[in-house]
Structures are given as structure tokens and as C-alpha cells.
Amino acid sequence: MKASIKTGFIGGCIGAIVLLTIMYIMKAAGMGEPGFIGMYRGMTHSNGASDPLIAGLLFVILGGGIWGIIFALLVKNPTLLKGLLFGILPTLWLWVVVNAMVGKPLFNGFDIMGLVMPLIFNMVIWGSILGWYCSREKATATL
């Protein structure tokens, strides 16, 4: 049984909110601005004070929620592991499509951090949260 679209959306948004929090903690620790802000600015050519807020909302809804819906539509019997493995799709989307749209090299120029961080963020953190949430909600719905 597949997870509902609503469950996929919510699970994806929760995972994205966790990532957003981690990225802002990393920024506070001096590790640079979250990538989604640079992507937003690269696509809109904006540099306004509201960019972090708008980019964060878009990241949660589009980056988390929409991919969560896709997961719910494609994955039968969601599990934490299936969510983790599904995280490779948004990672590939980032490396190829988003990077091309904002003028960055494919696969982040094969820079080690540019390869590892998206895998950790999209697979280990976001994907596992998505898979866990969808499997939990599916199990609750069948009781």
C-alpha cells in the first residue's frame, strides 16, 4: 500500500524543515550561507532582505513537499530505507538540473563536499525522515 499524497507532502516538509534548521545552525557556526538561498538568488537575480525567508519557504514546499508527493506516488510500502534510497533522486536533480539553471557545474564540479553534502542532506537526513514518516502514517492508517 502506498502512502497518501498528503502524508508524502507532510513527511517531505518535515524533512525539509529539519534540513533548514541544520543549515542555519551550520551558518551560525560559520560554515556559509545555506545553499537554497544562493540557488534562489541565482534564479531570481534578487538580493533582498526577504530572500532567506522566501527561499526557505520554497525549499520546504518545493524541495521537501513536492518530492515527498513524488515519493508517495511512486513507492509502495514506504520504509525508512526506501526513503533514504529515494533521496538520490532530488540529489541528482540538484546536481544536474538546478546547477544548470543557476550556472554551476554539473555534479558540483565533482568537488568532494559538493558531492557528499547533498547525499547526506537528501538521502540520510531528508529521505530517512520522509520514509519513516510515511511508513509510520501508513501503519497508523491501517490500524
Side-chain angles (χ1 to χ4, degrees):
M1 182 171 151
K2 293 181 181 180
S4 71
I5 290 173
K6 177 182 171 186
T7 298
F9 181 80
I10 292 170
C13 286
I14 290 170
I17 290 168
V18 170
L19 279 181
L20 187 109
T21 304
I22 290 169
M23 288 182 193
Y24 275 114
I25 290 170
M26 290 171 65
K27 179 182 179 186
M31 298 179 78
E33 188 172 70
F36 59 86
I37 297 172
M39 288 178 212
Y40 174 78
R41 287 180 171 157
M43 293 176 72
T44 63
H45 305 291
S46 172
N47 199 15
S50 64
D51 287 356
L53 175 64
I54 295 168
L57 288 172
L58 290 172
F59 177 75
V60 169
I61 294 168
L62 299 176
I66 300 300
W67 279 105
I69 290 172
I70 294 168
F71 175 78
L73 292 172
L74 295 178
V75 177
K76 192 173 184 174
N77 297 318
T79 64
L80 186 143
L81 179 62
K82 288 180 182 178
L84 189 140
L85 294 173
F86 180 81
I88 193 67
L89 291 179
T91 302
L92 288 170
W93 178 263
L94 168 71
W95 284 336
V96 177
V97 178
V98 175
N99 281 0
M101 288 172 34
V102 297
K104 289 187 175 182
L106 294 176
F107 296 94
N108 290 329
F110 295 96
D111 172 64
I112 192 71
M113 290 304 285
L115 292 173
V116 172
M117 292 308 286
L119 288 170
I120 292 170
F121 284 169
N122 291 327
M123 292 180 71
V124 177
I125 299 170
W126 178 82
S128 62
I129 290 170
L130 172 66
W132 166 80
Y133 183 83
C134 288
S135 67
R136 180 183 145 279
E137 288 298 308
K138 188 184 77 92
T140 304
T142 58
L143 292 178

